[in-house]
Structure formats: structure tokens, C-alpha cells
């Protein structure tokens, strides 16, 4: 059951080849253009690259853009193999030649299958979604961004926990199944620390000291365990603080904990969250933690203190989202009186950070809207210790066809990746 092949479900299909890269055949460059004053061109692209030593060819390609590399990859198997070389991507990493993209995963209800998009330069999602994975869990998965793609871990499929793990290659936009976890999990903490993925909790009462934590090594594609005493924690939120290579979070009882893989240490703290239940989507920017609270508020705190405070300067955004709106909601299409006015309020539905160190938020204009809005917010800490935010841009990033049978758009994941 490999989702990377050609399939058709509900009238849609996954694709391979040039379509995986968002290219049409008309966008693929010709093998070689005619040169003036040259009677015969005997060298094809394959012949040209074959004359170069591998190290030289890889060095040249490391400077190319992702779009150019994608076009080259569909020209021939030889080119695709060269572009897919680990040496090329390692070199691009060391040279700083990678480009940043912002990936967003949506669930357009009632369609059960999540869809992935890239936020383009026009601040729109799409227009063409990334080939979808019909086996991806519908909700409550964990996701981790690594050098070459995104791991989607566990989740709920028709209400049942799953141990499935999938990998989205964000250069070729192909899916592949990777070894499953030992335990089925949903809403687990999954984080990349020192090159390995640590998955904590999310498995309920079936967990014990041997399986509450599982560790995945992307290089060897194998799972291992990290033994802990019997734990009953259900993790509410967690975040990686890269400077210290530690995982920090709180459990459902609002107690905090540190997890330091390099020191083989799991330490629970007496400190309780100052605003339990009022914050979600934790992210770390610099030495501070940020999250979304109720009534469209964005909160911040220092990890060692856990005293959440409101980001200043965003009052207009909060008032705009929290203001009541009178909209018409259909009651019963079989009756004469089809609609009734009602008051609804908007709120931030997803918060994350991007590669610029800014906050990115999403919201729907009202509960049954098929228009998704987003804003990017820069933050700075001023004298006196307060954190202020400034809206860099705000716009509608996705509009679904109103003729469809969909009734809501839910943002499942959002993250910056480097290609």
C-alpha cells in the first residue's frame, strides 16, 4: 500500500513525473537550443553533463534555483538521478543556496483527506495543491520538518489511533511510507532534537516505560526507545528550544517538564502554567515562547517562568477578529424561511513561526466561510521587557469554490521549509 504511485480516489488522482513538481510539459526546457554558426550540435544535455566530473557537475547545480532543478529532473532519468543526489543537497546546505517555502496543510471539510499547499509570492495558497496522500490521518497527527521533507506521525483515522508514519519529500513532492511506530499515537509530541525525532506520549494508558518515548533516526530509518519510569502524562503542548537542544512542554495537568536527550534526562518541574487551557500552538522565537490565546490574543513568556503575557500593539487585529458579525446561516432548506441572522465571532485558528522569525496566523472570516485569511507579525522586545508586535501583511490566502459541498476550512499544519 504505497501512496506514491498513481491512484484515483473520489475523482482525484495522485501523480508522478513532472506533475509531482508542479510543472507541465510546456515548462520543461528543450534539450538544447540551436546555436548560430553551428551546423550540428552533437551534445545533448546528458552528453554535456557526462563530460563533467561528478564533483564539478554537482557544484554547478548547487547554485541553481529549485525551479530550475525541478525542470532538469524531469528531462531524463540521468538528470533526475543527479538532482536527487544527497551530495547535491548537502552542498547546497553548506553553501547556503537553499530557498525558503512556507507549507500549509488544510482539511476542507467534509473531505476527509488533508491537502498540502505552498504559500506563494503573491501570498496565496496554490493555485495547484501538492499531490495528496489518501492514507494520511485526518487529524491529530504530529509533524516534524527535516532537511529533505516532512514526517507525518500517527494521528486519528476514523476516530482510531494509528502508528503509521509518512514522509513528504518537498523537492519531488512525492510521498512514501516509512517504518511505523511500535505504538499507535495521536496528539503526541514529535520534535527534532540533534538530528533525531523524539515522539513522546499520545498513546494513552497502553504506554509503559519501554514505549512512552520512541526515537526515529532519519539516517538509518529505524525506531528505538528511551526508557522512562511509568508515566501517565498526556502532553498538552511542547516546543524545542534549539539553543539548549531540549524539548520543553506542559502536560494536561498544567505541570511543566524538560526533556534533554543529550543528557539522558527527563525532568518534571513544580512550576505550573500561569494560564492553563488558554494557549495553543506553542512556538519558540529566539529565547521566548509564543502561543495563541482566547479572543484572538497572542501571548508570550520565558520558558523558565511560564508567566504568559499579551503581545502589545495588536489591539486592532484583536478587535477586528473578535467583533461580532451578523451573518445568515441556513436553518432548513425545506422550509420557506431558509435563513436567520445570527452573531458570530472569529478567532485565530492556527499560529506558527516562519524562517524570518515572525509569527504567522490563520483565521476564517466566520465559521462557515470558505475564505481563509492569514497575517505575518514581527515581534520585538522593548525596554521594560514588554513584547510588541507589528503586522507586516494581512490578506485572504485561500478561497474555495462556493459551488462545492464544503462547509469549512481547517488549518492542520503550517511550517517553513528549506529546499
Amino acid at each position: 500500500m504505497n501512496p506514491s504511485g498513481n491512484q484515483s480516489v473520489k475523482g482525484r488522482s495522485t501523480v508522478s513525473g513532472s506533475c509531482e513538481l508542479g510543472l507541465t510539459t510546456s515548462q520543461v526546457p528543450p534539450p538544447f537550443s540551436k546555436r548560430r554558426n553551428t551546423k550540428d550540435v552533437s551534445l545533448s544535455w546528458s552528453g554535456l553533463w557526462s563530460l563533467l566530473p561528478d564533483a564539478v557537475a554537482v557544484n554547478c547545480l548547487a547554485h541553481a534555483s529549485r525551479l530550475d532543478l525541478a525542470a532538469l529532473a524531469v528531462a531524463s532519468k540521468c538528470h533526475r538521478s543527479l538532482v536527487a543526489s544527497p551530495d547535491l543537497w548537502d552542498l547546497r546546505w553548506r553553501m547556503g543556496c537553499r530557498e525558503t517555502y512556507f507549507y500549509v496543510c488544510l482539511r476542507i471539510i467534509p473531505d476527509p483527506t488533508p491537502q498540502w499547499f505552498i504559500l506563494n509570492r503573491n501570498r496565496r495558497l496554490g493555485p495547484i495543491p501538492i499531490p495528496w496522500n489518501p492514507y494520511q490521518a485526518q487529524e491529530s497527527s504530529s509533524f516534524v520538518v527535516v532537511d529533505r521533507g516532512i514526517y507525518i506521525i500517527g494521528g486519528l483515522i476514523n476516530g482510531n489511533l494509528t502508528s503509521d508514519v509518512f514522509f513528504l519529500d518537498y523537492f519531488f513532492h512525492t510521498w512514501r511510507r516509512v517504518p511505523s511506530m511500535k505504538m499507535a499515537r495521536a496528539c503526541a509530541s514529535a520534535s527534532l532534537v540533534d538530528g533525531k525525532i523524539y515522539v513522546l506520549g499520545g498513546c494513552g494508558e497502553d504506554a509503559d516505560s519501554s514505549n512512552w518515548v520512541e526515537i526515529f533516526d532519519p539516517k538509518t530509518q529505524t525506531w528505538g526507545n528511551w526508557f522512562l519510569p511509568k508515566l501517565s502524562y498526556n502532553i498538552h503542548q511542547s516546543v524545542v528550544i534549539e539553543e539548549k537542544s531540549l524539548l520543553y512542554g506542559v502536560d494536561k495537568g498544567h505541570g511543566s517538564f524538560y526533556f534533554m536527550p543529550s543528557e539522558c534526562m527527563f525532568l518534571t518541574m513544580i512550576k505550573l502554567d500561569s494560564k492553563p487551557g488558554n494557549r495553543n500552538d506553542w512556538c519558540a522565537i529566539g529565547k521566548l515562547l509564543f502561543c495563541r490565546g482566547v479572543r484572538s490574543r497572542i501571548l508570550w513568556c520565558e520558558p523558565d517562568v511560564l508567566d504568559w503575557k499579551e503581545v502589545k500593539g495588536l489591539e486592532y487585529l484583536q478587535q477586528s477578529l473578535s467583533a461580532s458579525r451578523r451573518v445568515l446561516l441556513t436553518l432548513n432548506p425545506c422550509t420557506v424561511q431558509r435563513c436567520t441572522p445570527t452573531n458570530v465571532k472569529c478567532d485565530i485558528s492556527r499560529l506558527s513561526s516562519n524562517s524570518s522569525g515572525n509569527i504567522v496566523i490563520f483565521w476564517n472570516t466566520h465559521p462557515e466561510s470558505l475564505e481563509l485569511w492569514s497575517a505575518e507579525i514581527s515581534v520585538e522586545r522593548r525596554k521594560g521587557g514588554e513584547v510588541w508586535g507589528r503586522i507586516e501583511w494581512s490578506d485572504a490566502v485561500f478561497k474555495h469554490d462556493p459551488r462545492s459541498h464544503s462547509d469549512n476550512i481547517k488549518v492542520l499544519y503550517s511550517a517553513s521549509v528549506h529546499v
Side-chain angles (χ1 to χ4, degrees), residues 241-260:
I241 302 176
E242 295 184 1
E243 182 180 352
K244 299 180 180 179
S245 293
L246 62 84
L247 178 67
Y248 180 81
V250 297
D251 59 31
K252 287 291 186 181
H254 313 302
S256 60
F257 65 85
Y258 286 109
F259 180 61
M260 303 180 67

Short mmCIF file of all heavy atoms in Angstrom, two decimals, residues 241-260:
data_model
loop_
_atom_site.label_atom_id
_atom_site.label_comp_id
_atom_site.label_asym_id
_atom_site.label_seq_id
_atom_site.Cartn_x
_atom_site.Cartn_y
_atom_site.Cartn_z
N ILE A 241 13.61 24.04 22.15
CA ILE A 241 14.45 25.21 22.32
C ILE A 241 15.82 24.82 21.78
O ILE A 241 16.59 24.11 22.44
CB ILE A 241 14.52 25.65 23.79
CG1 ILE A 241 13.10 25.96 24.29
CG2 ILE A 241 15.42 26.86 23.95
CD1 ILE A 241 13.03 26.33 25.76
N GLU A 242 16.11 25.22 20.54
CA GLU A 242 17.28 24.73 19.82
C GLU A 242 18.58 25.13 20.49
O GLU A 242 19.57 24.39 20.44
CB GLU A 242 17.24 25.21 18.36
CG GLU A 242 16.06 24.65 17.58
CD GLU A 242 16.09 25.08 16.13
OE1 GLU A 242 17.05 25.79 15.75
OE2 GLU A 242 15.17 24.70 15.39
N GLU A 243 18.63 26.31 21.08
CA GLU A 243 19.87 26.80 21.70
C GLU A 243 20.38 25.83 22.76
O GLU A 243 21.58 25.64 22.93
CB GLU A 243 19.64 28.18 22.31
CG GLU A 243 20.88 28.80 22.92
CD GLU A 243 20.61 30.17 23.52
OE1 GLU A 243 19.49 30.69 23.33
OE2 GLU A 243 21.51 30.71 24.18
N LYS A 244 19.44 25.18 23.46
CA LYS A 244 19.82 24.26 24.54
C LYS A 244 19.61 22.81 24.15
O LYS A 244 19.85 21.91 24.97
CB LYS A 244 19.01 24.58 25.80
CG LYS A 244 19.22 25.99 26.33
CD LYS A 244 18.38 26.23 27.57
CE LYS A 244 18.58 27.64 28.11
NZ LYS A 244 17.75 27.90 29.32
N SER A 245 19.12 22.55 22.92
CA SER A 245 18.85 21.18 22.46
C SER A 245 17.97 20.43 23.45
O SER A 245 18.27 19.30 23.85
CB SER A 245 20.15 20.42 22.22
OG SER A 245 20.86 20.98 21.15
N LEU A 246 16.89 21.08 23.84
CA LEU A 246 15.98 20.42 24.77
C LEU A 246 14.54 20.61 24.32
O LEU A 246 14.20 21.54 23.59
CB LEU A 246 16.15 20.94 26.21
CG LEU A 246 15.88 22.42 26.54
CD1 LEU A 246 14.40 22.65 26.79
CD2 LEU A 246 16.66 22.82 27.77
N LEU A 247 13.71 19.68 24.75
CA LEU A 247 12.28 19.72 24.49
C LEU A 247 11.59 20.17 25.77
O LEU A 247 11.83 19.63 26.85
CB LEU A 247 11.79 18.33 24.09
CG LEU A 247 10.29 18.17 23.82
CD1 LEU A 247 9.89 18.94 22.58
CD2 LEU A 247 9.94 16.69 23.65
N TYR A 248 10.75 21.20 25.62
CA TYR A 248 10.09 21.78 26.79
C TYR A 248 8.59 21.71 26.57
O TYR A 248 8.10 21.92 25.45
CB TYR A 248 10.52 23.23 26.96
CG TYR A 248 9.88 23.92 28.13
CD1 TYR A 248 10.38 23.75 29.41
CD2 TYR A 248 8.77 24.73 27.96
CE1 TYR A 248 9.79 24.38 30.50
CE2 TYR A 248 8.17 25.36 29.03
CZ TYR A 248 8.69 25.18 30.30
OH TYR A 248 8.09 25.78 31.37
N GLY A 249 7.83 21.40 27.61
CA GLY A 249 6.38 21.32 27.44
C GLY A 249 5.63 21.28 28.74
O GLY A 249 6.21 21.39 29.83
N VAL A 250 4.31 21.14 28.61
CA VAL A 250 3.43 21.00 29.77
C VAL A 250 2.50 19.82 29.52
O VAL A 250 2.19 19.47 28.37
CB VAL A 250 2.60 22.28 30.04
CG1 VAL A 250 3.49 23.45 30.37
CG2 VAL A 250 1.71 22.60 28.85
N ASP A 251 2.06 19.20 30.60
CA ASP A 251 1.13 18.09 30.47
C ASP A 251 -0.29 18.57 30.68
O ASP A 251 -0.55 19.76 30.87
CB ASP A 251 1.50 16.96 31.46
CG ASP A 251 1.48 17.44 32.91
OD1 ASP A 251 0.68 18.34 33.23
OD2 ASP A 251 2.26 16.92 33.72
N LYS A 252 -1.24 17.65 30.62
CA LYS A 252 -2.65 18.01 30.78
C LYS A 252 -2.96 18.56 32.17
O LYS A 252 -3.93 19.28 32.35
CB LYS A 252 -3.54 16.79 30.49
CG LYS A 252 -3.62 16.42 29.02
CD LYS A 252 -4.38 17.45 28.22
CE LYS A 252 -4.58 17.00 26.79
NZ LYS A 252 -5.30 18.02 25.99
N GLY A 253 -2.12 18.23 33.14
CA GLY A 253 -2.31 18.78 34.48
C GLY A 253 -1.65 20.13 34.65
O GLY A 253 -1.60 20.64 35.76
N HIS A 254 -1.12 20.69 33.55
CA HIS A 254 -0.51 22.02 33.52
C HIS A 254 0.83 22.09 34.23
O HIS A 254 1.32 23.17 34.54
CB HIS A 254 -1.46 23.08 34.09
CG HIS A 254 -2.86 22.97 33.55
ND1 HIS A 254 -3.13 23.04 32.19
CD2 HIS A 254 -4.05 22.75 34.17
CE1 HIS A 254 -4.43 22.89 32.01
NE2 HIS A 254 -5.01 22.70 33.18
N GLY A 255 1.42 20.93 34.54
CA GLY A 255 2.78 20.91 35.06
C GLY A 255 3.78 20.89 33.93
O GLY A 255 3.54 20.33 32.87
N SER A 256 4.93 21.52 34.12
CA SER A 256 5.92 21.63 33.05
C SER A 256 6.98 20.54 33.17
O SER A 256 7.18 19.95 34.23
CB SER A 256 6.58 23.01 33.08
OG SER A 256 7.23 23.22 34.33
N PHE A 257 7.68 20.29 32.07
CA PHE A 257 8.75 19.30 32.08
C PHE A 257 9.83 19.69 31.06
O PHE A 257 9.58 20.43 30.11
CB PHE A 257 8.22 17.89 31.77
CG PHE A 257 7.67 17.73 30.38
CD1 PHE A 257 8.50 17.44 29.30
CD2 PHE A 257 6.31 17.86 30.13
CE1 PHE A 257 7.99 17.29 28.02
CE2 PHE A 257 5.80 17.71 28.86
CZ PHE A 257 6.63 17.42 27.80
N TYR A 258 11.04 19.18 31.30
CA TYR A 258 12.14 19.29 30.36
C TYR A 258 12.52 17.89 29.90
O TYR A 258 12.52 16.95 30.68
CB TYR A 258 13.37 19.93 31.00
CG TYR A 258 13.28 21.41 31.24
CD1 TYR A 258 13.14 21.92 32.54
CD2 TYR A 258 13.34 22.31 30.19
CE1 TYR A 258 13.07 23.28 32.77
CE2 TYR A 258 13.28 23.67 30.40
CZ TYR A 258 13.15 24.15 31.70
OH TYR A 258 13.08 25.50 31.91
N PHE A 259 12.88 17.79 28.63
CA PHE A 259 13.39 16.52 28.12
C PHE A 259 14.68 16.84 27.37
O PHE A 259 14.67 17.54 26.36
CB PHE A 259 12.38 15.86 27.19
CG PHE A 259 12.84 14.54 26.62
CD1 PHE A 259 13.14 13.47 27.45
CD2 PHE A 259 12.97 14.37 25.24
CE1 PHE A 259 13.57 12.26 26.92
CE2 PHE A 259 13.38 13.16 24.71
CZ PHE A 259 13.69 12.11 25.56
N MET A 260 15.82 16.36 27.91
CA MET A 260 17.13 16.65 27.34
C MET A 260 17.78 15.35 26.88
O MET A 260 18.39 14.63 27.67
CB MET A 260 18.02 17.35 28.37
CG MET A 260 17.42 18.64 28.92
SD MET A 260 18.46 19.46 30.14
CE MET A 260 19.86 19.94 29.09
#
